[in-house]
Amino acid sequence: MNVVKLTDKRRIRGERSKQAIVKAAISCISRQGLHDATLERVAKKAKVSKSLVAFHFKSKTGMLAAVLDHQETMFENGWDTILAGNSVSTSAKLLELLDYDVRFSIEHRDYISVWHAYWGEPEGSSLYRNLSQPRDERYEKDVRRLLSILTEEGNYNDINITAIERGITAMMFGIWRDSHLAHAPNDYSNGMQAIYAYLQKVFPLHYKPKSFRNKNSL
Amino acid sequence: MNVVKLTDKRRIRGERSKQAIVKAAISCISRQGLHDATLERVAKKAKVSKSLVAFHFKSKTGMLAAVLDHQETMFENGWDTILAGNSVSTSAKLLELLDYDVRFSIEHRDYISVWHAYWGEPEGSSLYRNLSQPRDERYEKDVRRLLSILTEEGNYNDINITAIERGITAMMFGIWRDSHLAHAPNDYSNGMQAIYAYLQKVFPLHYKPKSFRNKNSL
């Protein structure tokens, strides 16, 4: 029994040190770009030895993959909670998901900077394509499903679901970029107002005119 | 007279070598990120001496600023040509501008990679905020002006011009990101379909259902 407990403790400690290193890597990348996030620098930032970093991630590529996975998992957890939760309606659920998306970019500005760093280099872009895009495609599928339900519910004509979803997804990436570059107090309301104006035009029976204020917590 | 001609020739030659170095820098950044685009590496790529690069740009920051200026000027020239040109209508002009925007991202994928590299680092983001954002704000103003004219022309109710423009601009950055990451043959039609679906919902009297095919040249 004691042996099992010891192994468990070791596993938990290992997981914790891994998480601390990933956080240090995010901090390094968002401050200095992808190139300067060497195993040495990240180890120094995380206050651990370089050999521990190498033990956990094998190589810089392994570390960069773990950073992407961490950020994506953080996003995914919140998304899935809303998706599985009890929303009062499909239109409310879609709005909650998009609201979550906008808030995420404001609460994790360093993540947005990191994603841009990946997209700005061939190695980073390639890692993103392999590791993150399958997840992105799943969110897009979730959105398309909700858009289909709304279209049926409202008996709307002439809705190109693929094009609408692509527009909303693209808009969200643009809003993320804005909140990363602007860091302005009205980033939340600006983003939500843009998204909501779209929903209102496409699904007028579901979304009535509304304005957004900045939340105190943001 | 001869002295003047000689000075002119020198100026032209200087301008040409500057342009060649900027192009080499764009190639370096899009392949290796912002950090690795040192004056040495760019000089080697451009097949000139490091001292010539230093003569033209003073420092790496000067070179990075010149790269931004080059990309922005390329974009601006095309935008302004359409803006000043004779379009058959305001709705056609807006569509031409947005079509230009989508095509630009496909014809200059390396530029999109470079912009992401800037947004992924504090120094790059700061240069972008200072040098490029004033231009971005001007494009946004141009779009708002066209949206206002359309709103009046069609007597549309309940159009939040600021929110619609912000949505279109954000969508465009997302479409740029997509075409940079995807490099797919249908990037053009996907992007245009997303933008057009939006215009059609907001200004139904101006934009009738339409589908986009990939242009042979893309």
Side-chain angles (χ1 to χ4, degrees):
Chain A
M1 262 318 254
N2 277 337
V3 176
V4 173
K5 273 187 188 162
L6 194 62
T7 317
D8 266 4
K9 271 188 191 163
R10 271 199 193 132
R11 202 184 45 77
I12 291 168
R13 209 164 56 215
E15 203 43 55
R16 272 196 200 138
S17 90
K18 217 171 157 176
Q19 290 293 313
I21 297 167
V22 164
K23 281 179 188 166
I26 290 171
S27 166
C28 285
I29 298 169
S30 72
R31 277 168 211 191
Q32 305 173 296
L34 215 57
H35 180 278
D36 281 344
T38 56
L39 298 187
E40 287 87 346
R41 287 218 178 89
V42 170
K44 203 178 162 193
K45 179 96 197 163
K47 290 175 184 156
V48 299
S49 68
K50 188 193 157 189
S51 59
L52 185 65
V53 178
F55 167 76
H56 280 308
F57 305 108
K58 309 293 178 267
S59 63
K60 183 172 170 184
T61 303
M63 185 181 72
L64 294 182
V67 164
L68 269 190
D69 184 65
H70 175 83
Q71 298 201 161
E72 308 286 344
T73 303
M74 287 288 286
F75 180 83
E76 193 171 49
N77 289 343
W79 180 273
D80 285 345
T81 303
I82 295 168
L83 207 62
N86 290 319
S87 305
V88 291
S89 62
T90 303
S91 56
K93 192 179 285 283
L94 179 62
L95 191 61
E96 282 167 42
L97 288 171
L98 299 176
D99 176 272
Y100 166 70
D101 220 327
V102 174
R103 274 188 292 112
F104 190 87
S105 74
I106 292 165
E107 288 165 7
H108 300 279
R109 297 192 203 255
D110 50 343
Y111 287 17
I112 313 296
S113 183
V114 166
W115 272 310
H116 280 113
Y118 279 72
W119 301 333
E121 284 204 356
E123 194 201 347
S125 295
S126 161
L127 276 172
Y128 187 88
R129 273 187 213 105
N130 293 328
L131 303 175
S132 309
Q133 241 162 18
R135 275 164 153 167
D136 286 348
E137 280 162 20
R138 205 265 295 178
Y139 306 134
E140 290 160 18
K141 210 176 138 193
D142 291 340
V143 171
R144 281 197 299 276
R145 194 173 52 78
L146 297 175
L147 295 177
S148 299
I149 298 171
L150 290 186
T151 304
E152 273 192 38
E153 273 181 11
N155 222 347
Y156 297 102
N157 289 319
D158 197 31
I159 303 250
N160 180 339
I161 289 170
T162 311
I164 304 283
E165 176 272 305
R166 197 171 280 127
I168 289 177
T169 302
M171 205 186 275
M172 198 53 83
F173 279 111
I175 290 169
W176 279 22
R177 173 193 163 276
D178 279 352
S179 96
H180 159 56
L181 286 175
H183 284 231
N186 52 355
D187 286 342
Y188 171 78
S189 57
N190 281 350
M192 283 310 293
Q193 211 74 59
I195 282 284
Y196 198 84
Y198 194 17
L199 291 178
Q200 211 191 314
K201 288 295 165 191
V202 183
F203 303 109
L205 302 173
H206 287 90
Y207 299 99
K208 302 295 173 195
K210 181 177 172 177
S211 65
F212 291 84
R213 297 228 178 125
N214 284 301
K215 299 188 173 169
N216 288 335
S217 64
L218 296 174
Chain B
M1 262 321 252
N2 277 338
V3 176
V4 174
K5 275 187 187 161
L6 194 62
T7 317
D8 266 5
K9 271 188 189 161
R10 271 199 192 131
R11 202 185 44 76
I12 292 168
R13 210 164 53 216
E15 203 43 55
R16 274 197 199 138
S17 90
K18 218 170 157 176
Q19 289 294 312
I21 297 167
V22 164
K23 282 180 187 164
I26 289 172
S27 166
C28 284
I29 297 169
S30 73
R31 277 168 211 193
Q32 303 173 298
L34 216 56
H35 180 279
D36 281 344
T38 56
L39 298 187
E40 287 87 346
R41 286 218 179 90
V42 170
K44 203 178 162 194
K45 178 96 196 162
K47 291 173 183 153
V48 299
S49 68
K50 188 193 158 190
S51 59
L52 185 65
V53 179
F55 166 78
H56 280 307
F57 305 107
K58 309 294 179 269
S59 62
K60 183 172 171 184
T61 304
M63 185 180 72
L64 294 182
V67 164
L68 269 190
D69 184 65
H70 174 84
Q71 298 201 160
E72 308 285 346
T73 303
M74 287 287 286
F75 180 83
E76 193 171 49
N77 289 344
W79 180 273
D80 284 346
T81 302
I82 295 168
L83 207 61
N86 291 318
S87 304
V88 291
S89 62
T90 303
S91 56
K93 192 180 284 284
L94 179 62
L95 192 60
E96 282 167 42
L97 288 170
L98 300 175
D99 176 271
Y100 167 70
D101 220 327
V102 174
R103 273 188 294 111
F104 190 87
S105 73
I106 292 165
E107 288 164 7
H108 300 278
R109 298 193 202 255
D110 48 343
Y111 287 18
I112 312 297
S113 182
V114 167
W115 272 310
H116 280 113
Y118 279 72
W119 302 332
E121 283 205 356
E123 194 202 348
S125 294
S126 161
L127 276 172
Y128 187 88
R129 273 186 213 104
N130 293 328
L131 302 176
S132 309
Q133 240 163 18
R135 276 165 153 168
D136 286 348
E137 281 161 20
R138 205 265 294 179
Y139 307 134
E140 290 160 18
K141 210 175 139 194
D142 292 338
V143 171
R144 281 198 298 275
R145 194 173 53 77
L146 297 175
L147 295 177
S148 299
I149 298 172
L150 290 186
T151 305
E152 272 193 38
E153 274 181 9
N155 223 347
Y156 298 102
N157 288 319
D158 196 31
I159 303 251
N160 179 338
I161 289 170
T162 312
I164 301 287
E165 177 273 306
R166 196 170 280 125
I168 289 178
T169 303
M171 206 185 278
M172 199 51 84
F173 279 112
I175 289 170
W176 279 21
R177 173 194 164 276
D178 278 353
S179 95
H180 159 56
L181 286 175
H183 284 230
N186 53 353
D187 285 342
Y188 170 78
S189 57
N190 282 349
M192 283 311 292
Q193 211 72 61
I195 281 285
Y196 198 84
Y198 191 22
L199 292 177
Q200 211 191 315
K201 287 296 164 192
V202 182
F203 303 109
L205 302 174
H206 287 89
Y207 298 99
K208 302 296 173 193
K210 184 178 171 176
S211 65
F212 292 84
R213 297 230 175 124
N214 284 302
K215 299 188 174 170
N216 288 334
S217 64
L218 297 174

